[in-house]
Amino acid sequence: MHRNEFKLGLEFSSLSEKSCQGSLLEEINMLGLLRQRAGGNVSWIMEQGIRAAASRAFSSSAKESMTVRDALNSTLVEEMSADPKVFLMGEEVGEYQGAYKISKGLLEKFGPDRVLDTPITEAGFTGIAVGAAYHGLKPIVEFMTFNFSMQAIDHIINSAAKSNYMSAGQISVPIVFRGPNGAAAGVGAQHSQCYAAWYAACPGLKVLAPYSSEDARGLLKAAIRDPDPVVFLENELLYGESFPVSAEVLDSNFCLPIGKAKIEREGKDVTITAFSKMVGLALQAADLLAKEDISAEVINLRSIRPLDRRTINDSVRKTNRLVTVEEGFPQHGVGAEICASVIEDSFEYLDAPIERIAGADVPMPYAANLERLAVPQVDDIVRAAKRSCFRSR
């Protein structure tokens, strides 16, 4: 058996060296393929061989970039290769390879038993997936947009989120609901809503919102491996964006903790919290503020429920100011919850009123000029931070 493992290790090493000239996604997919061919029973010897080869392959890749789309796709490949209980279902995820090509190549790799094309009936296939999770499988349900999840919200909340509590812990529901969330461009009011606050209000659900490729890989792995239902809110406009990734992020064992935020940029004058696409806007705002000698600390929430209240409050106690940013509606939003947390735990540290930046409290307009006014922009964040620092003039 050791000879077979050694042979696989050599094969991976050779392919890794060749693929250093190619894409990072090809390297990751090859690692998943070899794990699958080994039947999932990879011994310590083979594991070390794979890690050594991977280390060589990625040693010069620390500054390489990966799109969020490829990060999600590679994670699905790895997790489906590692665990035969994981399967994907949704509209056009198989033959069409996903509306946004997140599931590209999965049908060919894993077959129609594990990559299931469904009819246009979210309530139906979501209910089937929840039932499969009751019986120990690990479904990943893709919604073409989270706006369509409203057709299935009864199964998500009443069937998935509450079953563990109502069964006194006897029933686990290891299921992931994923897809694009929030505003895209020119798709109108019914296809532009942010569901972060909607689902984060429900006990029993975990709600994650990745920003970068690192977030996408680490958080999706955590979601798939979690024993409880996870709502995984992606962003259509981020799929094609590239981010630098390290060898650690590309390792198949890389996984981010649920409930832990990331400080994307350290600062001392004002704290800016954001999630998903808004993190990028917050970082751009921080660059502009730095030119005016305002040092902004940017927190990428990553996890909406559970919320990393400690990181947020620790930052506010250092900067004494807070700006929250989200693209959802302002009333009962994620920013409102953050404000409540800071008022409860760190009120005496505040030197200025908290500023909330959110989407306009109206259905999303279709006209491009009005749509732009309805979602937060970099200038909105800059103005709010300057007001907080009493530098609005």
Side-chain angles (χ1 to χ4, degrees), residues 138-150:
K138 298 180 179 180
I140 302 170
V141 176
E142 176 176 311
F143 295 118
M144 196 175 292
T145 161
F146 253 94
N147 297 276
F148 299 157
S149 74
M150 293 181 71

Side-chain angles (χ1 to χ4, degrees), residues 213-329:
S213 299
E214 176 181 322
D215 292 354
R217 276 184 60 79
L219 293 176
L220 185 55
K221 281 181 175 288
I224 294 171
R225 297 174 186 182
D226 198 271
D228 298 313
V230 179
V231 172
F232 195 84
L233 303 173
E234 301 156 13
N235 186 284
E236 177 185 340
L237 299 179
L238 287 175
Y239 283 148
E241 287 204 24
S242 295
F243 294 87
V245 286
S246 65
E248 179 187 6
V249 172
L250 294 170
D251 190 281
S252 62
N253 289 319
F254 177 73
C255 189
L256 290 172
I258 293 176
K260 181 63 179 174
K262 178 187 179 184
I263 297 177
E264 295 281 353
R265 175 181 179 136
E266 293 190 354
K268 60 182 178 63
D269 295 327
V270 59
T271 297
I272 304 175
T273 65
F275 61 92
S276 190
K277 186 176 182 294
M278 294 295 106
V279 177
L281 272 64
L283 290 170
Q284 292 177 49
D287 288 339
L288 294 175
L289 290 166
K291 295 177 181 179
E292 301 191 41
D293 295 324
I294 296 176
S295 173
E297 181 149 294
V298 177
I299 297 178
N300 172 6
L301 296 177
R302 284 181 168 172
S303 178
I304 310 301
R305 185 186 184 103
L307 188 65
D308 188 357
R309 301 170 191 274
R310 172 172 291 184
T311 294
I312 296 168
N313 278 278
D314 285 349
S315 178
V316 170
R317 292 180 183 194
K318 177 177 67 173
T319 67
N320 310 114
R321 297 172 176 86
L322 173 64
V323 176
T324 71
V325 185
E326 63 186 310
E327 65 176 71
F329 301 129

Side-chain angles (χ1 to χ4, degrees), residues 57-71:
F58 299 138
S59 60
S60 61
S61 314
K63 295 183 180 179
E64 293 288 345
S65 63
M66 172 182 268
T67 65
V68 171
R69 176 181 289 107
D70 286 347

Side-chain angles (χ1 to χ4, degrees), residues 318-368:
K318 177 177 67 173
T319 67
N320 310 114
R321 297 172 176 86
L322 173 64
V323 176
T324 71
V325 185
E326 63 186 310
E327 65 176 71
F329 301 129
Q331 186 160 326
H332 309 304
V334 175
E337 179 64 24
I338 292 172
C339 290
S341 174
V342 170
I343 292 297
E344 290 167 357
D345 297 335
S346 304
F347 177 75
E348 65 273 25
Y349 289 87
L350 288 171
D351 286 343
I354 296 173
E355 296 277 350
R356 278 198 298 157
I357 303 297
D361 198 20
V362 296
M364 180 64 71
Y366 178 74

Side-chain angles (χ1 to χ4, degrees), residues 28 33 58 136 156 194 386:
I28 295 168
L33 178 61
F58 299 138
I156 296 171
C194 175
K386 291 174 69 174

